[in-house]
Amino acid sequence: MQVAILMTHVAIAIALVVLILLQQGKGAEAGAAFGGGASQTVFGSRGSGSFLAKFTGLLAVAFFATSLTLAWFASEAGDAPEAGIPDAELIEQQNAVPTLDDAGSDVDNAAPALEESGD
């Protein structure tokens, strides 16, 4: 179910990007995108503006609905750790981890010296 909603969400996102790019800005000629008066015959007498705007609004509502649904699925999954102060046992385990400073001083960490040849 979650995968189907995710795939729908991605398809809606791609469709929204395409529809927004298809829409014309202020002052743009309607004939540039649809070849003269063809936009009025395909989309009605008002042209393509209202059709694309309504369909974009419908897809935006669907996008928000799928976003909220996916967020609800994520919150119900319970895989995320709880926010706040961790348990005392976890803190003790983290404090017991040795660090580089805890290494004993009995270990010789000096780099080996190269022997000079007597040429």
Side-chain angles (χ1 to χ4, degrees):
M1 178 70 173
Q2 186 176 357
V3 173
I5 293 174
L6 181 63
M7 298 303 279
T8 304
H9 185 73
V10 170
I12 290 171
I14 292 171
L16 268 173
V17 169
V18 169
L19 277 177
I20 289 171
L21 290 176
L22 277 177
Q23 293 184 23
Q24 299 166 1
K26 292 182 180 179
E29 295 281 332
F34 293 103
S39 65
Q40 294 182 3
T41 60
V42 173
F43 296 108
S45 62
R46 294 183 61 190
S48 64
S50 65
F51 171 75
L52 290 178
K54 287 179 182 178
F55 195 58
T56 303
L58 178 70
L59 284 180
V61 169
F63 182 80
F64 286 124
T66 56
S67 295
L68 290 174
T69 306
L70 289 171
W72 181 76
F73 277 133
S75 68
E76 292 294 316
D79 293 339
E82 294 182 17
I85 301 173
D87 294 332
E89 294 176 8
L90 181 63
I91 294 173
E92 291 298 324
Q93 288 176 357
Q94 289 177 351
N95 289 339
V97 176
T99 62
L100 291 176
D101 295 335
D102 293 341
S105 60
D106 58 342
V107 178
D108 183 20
N109 287 334
L114 294 176
E115 295 180 14
E116 293 184 27
S117 60
D119 289 332

